[in-house]
Amino acid sequence: MVKGVANFSGEKLTEARLANGLSKKALAEMIDVTSMAISRYESNQDKPTHDKLDSIAKALGFPYHFLTRKAWPESLGPTFWRNQVAETKASREMTEQRMKWLCEIFWTLEDELEFPDLDVPDLDVPNDFRQITPLMIEEYAEQVRREWKLRKLPIQDVVLSVENAGVPVVMLKIASEKQDGFFFRSSILNRGFIGVNVNDITAVRARFDVAHELGHLLLHRNVTASEERDTNDHRLLEQQAHRFAGAFLFPRESFLEEIAVPTLDYFYANKRRWGMSIAAMVTRSFDLGMIEKEAKTQMYISMNRRGWRGSGNREPFDDTMKLERPRMIRRGVEALVASGEYSDDFLEHMLSLPRNEIEQLISCGGGGTPAGNPIPAPAARSVVQAMDLETGQVIKFQARRRG
C-alpha cells in the first residue's frame, strides 16, 4: 500500500486552491484526479503521495512545503467588505486566504520586533451601530484628528497616519472592479488590518478607502458577522464608514470655511490640497447640508459632461497624484534584514509562500523597493529608524531577540 505524505495539510491545500480562484473540479482536472479526491484531501481524510503532492504544488504555483505547514489557527471575522452585495464569493475567498497569510507574516515579524502599539481613540460609540447618528460620526472623526494631532489641516499621508497608530495597511492587486477594500480583526494578534485593492485605483480613491476602513475599526467593533452579511445592515454600515471617511479627510469646520460656494470649480481647486476626489466633495457638501439632493444629482451629471465621471473617465489630477504606500510591515522586514541575522528571503523559507505573494503583502514594490529585487540590507544596527513625513518624529523598531 502506498502511503501518503504524513504531514500533509488539507487546510493549506484549500488555501492555495481558493487563492487561485479554482473550484475542486478545476484543480482535479489539472492533476488528473476526481473532485471527490480533492475533497478528501482537503478534509484530511486522505493524504496524497509525494508525487501527487508535487503535482498539486506545481499546478497551484506554490512551494511543496507550503502544503505541509499548519494553517493559521483562527477564523477571521467579521470582515467588512466594500461592495459586498455585488462581489462574488470566489473573489472574496481569494482575498481571504491572503488575509490569513498577512496574519502569519505579521506574527512571524512580531516575534522578533516591537511594532508600534495600537493607538486608536476609545470612542464612546453605542453598542448598537443603528444608534450611531451622522452628528456622532462627525464628532468621532474630529476626536480622532485631535488625538492624532492632525488638527484641521489636510492629511499629507493617510496611510502613514493610520500605520503610525499601529494599524497595518496592505495594498493588493485584486482582479475585481467590485472589491475596493476590506477590514478585519485578528484576536490572536490583537490587531485590526486594513486592505485596499489598488488594481487601477487613483490616489484619492485609495486615501478614501483607507479612511473608510478606519471608520469600520472605530465605529463597528461590536458588529457581528451575521449583521455584516445582512443586506440592510451592510448598507447602513457602509454609509456610516463613508460618512466617517469624508469627515476624517475634510473636517466639517474646514470644509465650511474653504468651500465658500459648493461648485465643481471650488472642488477642483481643493482636490490636490485635501487629497479628496471631486465626487467625494460633492457628497460631503450634501452631507453637511450645503446642497440639496437635486443639486447633488446635477453636479454628478455635470461631471459626466466634463468627462470627469463614468466608465473610462477620470477626474483632473488623477494621473499625477501619487499613490500612498504602506510602510509598517515592510520596515519590519527591513529591520530584520538590517540586523544581519536574516537573509532577504527569510519569509519565503519560514512560511513557504511564493515570493510574489510575500512581496505584495509586505508592500515591497511601489513603496521604495522594486518588486522582484532583494530588500536592501543596510549596515547592521540594533534599531532601525524611519522619519514620519508629517510630524518629523523618528519611528524606531526595537529588535526583540529570542532567549
Side-chain angles (χ1 to χ4, degrees):
M1 179 179 178
V2 179
K3 292 184 178 180
V5 177
N7 59 344
F8 164 75
S9 170
E11 293 83 1
K12 297 303 280 187
L13 173 56
T14 302
E15 286 182 19
R17 176 179 63 81
L18 293 178
N20 276 279
L22 295 173
S23 65
K24 294 177 183 177
K25 180 181 179 181
L27 176 59
E29 292 174 350
M30 293 170 68
I31 62 172
D32 195 26
V33 298
T34 64
S35 298
M36 179 60 70
I38 299 297
S39 293
R40 291 183 67 84
Y41 288 158
E42 293 190 357
S43 63
N44 289 307
Q45 291 178 276
D46 290 336
K47 295 182 182 294
T49 63
H50 167 74
D51 288 345
K52 185 58 69 177
L53 188 58
D54 187 57
S55 297
I56 293 173
K58 289 177 179 177
L60 294 173
F62 276 73
Y64 178 96
H65 291 293
F66 176 85
L67 300 173
T68 63
R69 288 181 49 79
K70 292 183 179 180
W72 182 250
E74 74 171 323
S75 297
L76 304 176
T79 300
F80 295 88
W81 298 94
R82 297 282 302 277
N83 295 337
Q84 174 174 274
V85 176
E87 183 59 292
T88 65
K89 181 175 182 288
S91 181
R92 289 199 303 272
E93 287 175 337
M94 290 177 70
T95 304
E96 285 169 351
Q97 310 319 307
R98 291 167 174 87
M99 293 179 190
K100 297 174 186 176
W101 305 339
L102 176 61
C103 289
E104 289 189 61
I105 288 174
F106 195 89
W107 180 84
T108 300
L109 297 176
E110 195 173 40
D111 196 42
E112 291 290 338
L113 297 166
E114 294 180 5
F115 283 105
D117 292 331
L118 190 62
D119 182 26
V120 296
D122 184 17
L123 303 176
D124 186 18
V125 180
N127 290 329
D128 184 351
F129 68 92
R130 300 170 191 84
Q131 297 177 2
I132 299 175
T133 67
L135 180 58
M136 287 180 182
I137 296 173
E138 294 288 336
E139 293 172 348
Y140 294 148
E142 291 169 4
Q143 182 178 341
V144 174
R145 277 181 155 267
R146 283 194 305 271
E147 296 198 21
W148 286 0
K149 297 179 173 57
L150 297 172
R151 296 181 289 176
K152 298 174 183 177
L153 301 173
I155 303 173
Q156 183 176 347
D157 192 321
V158 173
V159 174
L160 183 63
S161 296
V162 170
E163 290 200 318
N164 280 349
V167 182
V169 177
V170 62
M171 292 188 168
L172 306 177
K173 284 192 174 182
I174 304 168
S176 172
E177 296 179 355
K178 299 175 181 178
Q179 191 176 133
D180 294 330
F182 57 85
F183 168 74
F184 72 94
R185 289 184 177 87
S186 165
S187 58
I188 291 177
L189 298 171
N190 194 28
R191 296 267 178 173
F193 293 81
I194 289 175
V196 176
N197 182 6
V198 293
N199 189 38
D200 194 33
I201 200 173
T202 64
V204 290
R205 180 59 179 268
R207 284 168 57 90
F208 193 91
D209 285 348
V210 172
H212 174 103
E213 304 305 336
L214 176 64
H216 284 310
L217 183 155
L218 294 166
L219 305 179
H220 301 141
R221 63 189 63 182
N222 296 315
V223 173
T224 65
S226 61
E227 288 173 331
E228 207 284 328
R229 288 193 298 266
D230 180 85
T231 300
N232 292 328
D233 286 344
H234 175 79
R235 185 181 299 111
L236 178 56
L237 291 168
E238 288 296 287
Q239 290 172 351
Q240 292 175 347
H242 260 58
R243 181 65 179 255
F244 178 88
F248 180 69
L249 293 174
F250 207 155
R252 173 175 48 183
E253 185 176 331
S254 300
F255 195 92
L256 296 174
E257 287 178 358
E258 299 206 14
I259 308 297
V261 181
T263 66
L264 294 183
D265 291 332
Y266 259 100
F267 301 149
Y268 172 95
N270 278 275
K271 177 173 178 174
R272 284 181 293 184
R273 170 170 161 76
W274 285 93
M276 191 174 188
S277 72
I278 294 171
M281 283 188 273
V282 171
T283 299
R284 187 84 178 114
S285 61
F286 172 74
D287 287 343
L288 294 177
M290 300 175 72
I291 60 174
E292 299 295 331
K293 185 175 182 179
E294 183 178 348
K296 180 178 73 169
T297 301
Q298 287 301 317
M299 284 188 180
Y300 286 145
I301 293 173
S302 296
M303 289 182 68
N304 282 325
R305 290 172 179 166
R306 296 190 189 195
W308 294 357
R309 186 177 168 87
S311 179
N313 294 326
R314 290 201 170 196
E315 293 184 2
F317 313 121
D318 279 346
D319 294 330
T320 58
M321 296 178 70
K322 292 184 178 180
L323 189 66
E324 297 168 8
R325 294 285 184 175
R327 301 162 174 81
M328 185 176 180
I329 296 176
R330 174 169 57 85
R331 284 175 177 168
V333 173
E334 291 172 346
L336 292 183
V337 173
S339 73
E341 298 184 14
Y342 291 83
S343 64
D344 65 279
D345 59 353
F346 75 94
L347 283 174
E348 291 178 68
H349 295 295
M350 295 179 75
L351 303 179
S352 298
L353 277 168
R355 185 175 180 85
N356 66 304
E357 294 288 355
I358 292 175
E359 288 176 341
Q360 182 173 212
L361 289 167
I362 70 173
S363 297
C364 178
T369 304
N373 293 337
I375 299 171
R381 53 187 184 273
S382 61
V383 177
V384 171
Q385 299 182 348
M387 184 69 72
D388 183 326
L389 300 179
E390 295 180 66
T391 65
Q393 177 184 1
V394 174
I395 303 170
K396 298 182 179 181
F397 283 95
Q398 295 284 350
R400 186 168 64 193
R401 304 289 181 222
R402 287 191 179 96

